[in-house]
Amino acid sequence: MPKVDDYELEVLTAFEEGQLKSVATKAELARFKAAAHATATKDRRVNIRLSAGDLSDIQVKALEEGVPYQTLMASILHKYVTGRLAEQPAPAARSARKPAAKRRATSSS
């Protein structure tokens, strides 16, 4: 279970004891329900070929996150198509390397 700070523990306890009440209107709840249904409905199947190493790495990440690997893959794809998947800057070792074209040009001389 992820670490929980004191405030989060207080909110969780209040929720479990039924001390919290929803402030959402019926219209908001209906909108949230429709959005959740549209997001959670999986009505298409996709087959994809991956290298054994990539699949293994995805499965390890999924274990770290505590979700099934197919759920993780679907989440990553969803974030990509909705523009919420941000690229991380390349590690310093990669950015220090010469571009491939320059390496080829220098290796032939």
Side-chain angles (χ1 to χ4, degrees):
M1 180 172 183
K3 292 184 180 180
V4 201
D5 65 25
D6 291 339
Y7 174 74
E8 292 170 324
L9 188 57
E10 181 183 333
V11 171
L12 180 60
T13 303
F15 173 76
E16 289 174 343
E17 293 175 356
Q19 298 174 357
L20 301 179
K21 294 182 182 176
S22 176
V23 294
T25 65
K26 287 188 178 188
E28 287 174 323
L29 289 174
R31 233 182 13 175
F32 296 150
K33 185 177 179 180
H37 180 73
T39 302
T41 301
K42 293 177 175 61
D43 58 354
R44 301 288 180 174
R45 181 179 298 266
V46 175
N47 293 319
I48 183 171
R49 293 196 179 275
L50 300 173
S51 70
D54 285 347
L55 179 58
S56 178
D57 290 346
I58 289 169
Q59 290 172 326
V60 168
K61 292 285 188 190
L63 278 173
E64 290 171 357
E65 296 294 322
V67 297
Y69 76 93
Q70 291 173 326
T71 301
L72 177 63
M73 291 172 65
S75 173
I76 292 167
L77 289 170
H78 178 73
K79 288 177 183 176
Y80 178 77
V81 299
T82 58
R84 293 185 297 144
L85 186 65
E87 284 190 47
Q88 292 182 344
R94 285 187 181 171
S95 60
R97 290 192 314 197
K98 294 180 183 177
K102 282 192 173 182
R103 279 187 279 133
R104 275 192 232 114
T106 57
S107 64
S108 62
S109 48

